[in-house]
Amino acid sequence: MKNRVMSSAYMHWAKTRQGARFNLATSGLVTYPLSGLPVKLEDLAPLARGGGYGYPPLQEALAAHAGVSTASVVAADGTSMANYLAMAAIVEPGDDALVEHPTYELLLAALGNLQAEVRRFPRRAETGFALDPAEIERALTPRTRLIVITNLHNPSSAFVDEATLRAIGKIASGVGARVLVDEVYLDAAFELAPRSAFHLGPEFVITNSLTKVYGLSGLRCGWVLAEPELARRMWRLNDLFGVNQAHPAERISVIALQNFETIRKWSRALLYRNRQLLNQFLATRNDLAVQPLNFGTVVFPRLLTGSVDRFCELFREKYEGSVVPGSFFEMPDHFRMGIGGESDAVAASLKQLGTALDAFGTQSLR
Ligand SMILES: Cc1ncc(COP(=O)(O)O)c(C=O)c1O
């Protein structure tokens, strides 16, 4: 049996090294202003609620939001806990789990903690990190219990369409496996108005939250969508970790969901502006290989010359800037940049990144 993974190098980095004056390292939106929500102090009372599984108004709001029944909704602390609960309810130690490459490191760390046998299938930079069901089929074994993907893809923001998802669902069903789709960035594909893969069949298990696309990370309002029997298993498993979420956060989350259209419009407008800034910037760079960003919050360029780790160090130490080194996504020639900040800050950070890249390019020519 494999040793249990007991930590995440990426999360440690994110908590201790990500912050910077010119921050392009975060993947979510800047915090949505509390003043933008009609919350009064008395809306937060009482500070505690009775027991039971979930806060009924939040369960109902999440079910309505996702277009599912409340029996399929499991509340969790962010997508992080949602992912862990979903995986732990499905995978036994020694089971095979197939995970896209590159991916969000925490998905691998959680499976490592569960002592799953992790096998990989590629999403290739040359095809815009598209998912190829044939690659998944190649990695499949009779012991595969879970296939894990992100949609939109972290780190590239690539979108997976329904035909591809259906093909993956069919592959999974063939061996009695489930497909976990982490949809925390999906709503950032506003223009495509995609629906959740949950609606494609009972083999799909979905995780999501209000943390990234809606700038409400502080509420930690996450959830899993799963068929009711599996959902019950997750609720019972969550008994081991916490009795319930912080109740004031549950109450604010209900208010946020009641005002969802306002938050959505804010997010859409901010990302639209910032993507234009990003794409203008990318068009000026011949030292980066990357397609323009059409939707999503992050982009994953390849640095054409020099070491990304050295560049990230220079950007941090000399230019007070931060991007995520591609080594955290097992692709050390790339780096990830996020554009969810205030537009002025994103514009200033891109300018600073350009200055740092110019200086780095001159250095590596020497
Ligand atoms: C793919 C993916 N899933 C989950 C998370 C964690 O999200 P949350 O803040 O909702 O726990 C992240 C954060 O970066 C992520 O990129």
Side-chain angles (χ1 to χ4, degrees), residues 97-167:
L98 311 189
V99 184
E100 63 187 11
H101 175 286
T103 198
Y104 177 54
E105 188 248 27
L106 265 293
L107 297 170
L108 296 170
L111 285 166
N113 182 261
L114 295 166
Q115 292 175 293
E117 291 291 332
V118 176
R119 297 167 58 85
R120 311 300 295 280
F121 54 90
R123 299 180 67 146
R124 299 180 199 282
E126 308 85 76
T127 58
F129 295 97
L131 262 184
D132 179 357
E135 297 277 13
I136 298 179
E137 209 153 16
R138 262 195 285 284
L140 197 75
T141 70
R143 291 158 60 92
T144 301
R145 294 278 77 84
L146 187 64
I147 297 170
V148 182
I149 60 178
T150 54
N151 190 25
L152 307 177
H153 182 217
N154 184 5
S156 71
S157 293
F159 171 69
V160 189
D161 63 21
E162 279 199 7
T164 307
L165 288 165
R166 279 185 202 282

Side-chain angles (χ1 to χ4, degrees), residues 14-327:
K15 287 181 173 174
T16 57
R17 303 279 293 166
Q18 176 174 276
R21 180 167 165 217
F22 298 101
N23 190 344
L24 291 167
T26 52
S27 59
L29 263 66
V30 63
T31 302
Y32 186 78
L34 185 57
S35 60
L37 286 176
V39 179
K40 301 185 293 302
L41 205 51
E42 49 275 29
D43 292 332
L44 305 185
L47 286 175
R49 65 171 168 90
Y53 288 92
Y55 175 47
L58 183 55
Q59 282 294 108
E60 277 150 31
L62 289 173
H65 176 74
V68 304
S69 95
T70 50
S72 285
V73 179
V74 182
D77 281 318
T79 317
S80 308
M81 194 61 189
N83 280 332
Y84 191 86
L85 289 177
M87 289 172 170
I90 294 169
V91 171
E92 303 271 344
D95 282 349
D96 285 354
L98 311 189
V99 184
E100 63 187 11
H101 175 286
T103 198
Y104 177 54
E105 188 248 27
L106 265 293
L107 297 170
L108 296 170
L111 285 166
N113 182 261
L114 295 166
Q115 292 175 293
E117 291 291 332
V118 176
R119 297 167 58 85
R120 311 300 295 280
F121 54 90
R123 299 180 67 146
R124 299 180 199 282
E126 308 85 76
T127 58
F129 295 97
L131 262 184
D132 179 357
E135 297 277 13
I136 298 179
E137 209 153 16
R138 262 195 285 284
L140 197 75
T141 70
R143 291 158 60 92
T144 301
R145 294 278 77 84
L146 187 64
I147 297 170
V148 182
I149 60 178
T150 54
N151 190 25
L152 307 177
H153 182 217
N154 184 5
S156 71
S157 293
F159 171 69
V160 189
D161 63 21
E162 279 199 7
T164 307
L165 288 165
R166 279 185 202 282
I168 296 169
K170 212 166 148 206
I171 293 167
S173 299
V175 293
R178 311 259 184 178
V179 186
L180 173 60
V181 189
D182 179 326
E183 293 185 348
V184 75
Y185 301 106
L186 186 64
D187 286 4
F190 294 97
E191 295 76 1
L192 305 175
R195 63 173 181 165
S196 169
F198 179 79
H199 301 287
L200 302 182
E203 64 276 30
F204 285 93
V205 178
I206 306 307
T207 53
N208 204 340
S209 72
L210 298 179
T211 60
K212 298 286 175 191
V213 181
Y214 303 108
L216 292 168
S217 169
L219 299 179
R220 307 309 302 149
C221 176
W223 61 91
V224 187
L225 306 179
E227 49 95 358
E229 199 184 320
L230 184 59
R232 274 195 294 279
R233 201 170 145 88
M234 291 178 207
W235 278 117
R236 295 295 300 272
L237 184 60
N238 196 40
D239 287 343
L240 274 60
F241 299 108
V243 178
N244 48 39
Q245 320 318 127
H247 190 50
E250 290 178 321
R251 286 181 165 267
I252 302 175
S253 299
V254 172
I255 295 170
L257 287 161
Q258 284 163 350
N259 292 273
F260 193 67
E261 268 317 301
T262 311
I263 304 170
R264 194 170 175 279
K265 276 195 193 130
W266 165 83
S267 170
R268 184 175 183 159
L270 181 74
L271 284 174
Y272 181 78
R273 280 196 306 276
N274 292 1
R275 274 199 298 268
Q276 286 185 317
L277 295 171
L278 173 73
N279 289 335
Q280 280 159 13
F281 168 81
L282 293 177
T284 66
R285 305 301 320 179
N286 55 13
D287 46 1
L288 301 179
V290 65
Q291 294 301 312
L293 192 66
N294 294 324
F295 34 70
T297 63
V298 288
V299 67
F300 195 51
R302 182 161 66 87
L303 183 64
L304 292 176
T305 41
S307 145
V308 166
D309 284 341
R310 274 189 41 225
F311 171 70
C312 290
E313 229 173 274
L314 176 84
F315 190 36
R316 161 169 293 284
E317 300 309 327
K318 254 188 110 175
Y319 295 89
E320 300 178 79
S322 178
V323 290
V324 184
S327 52

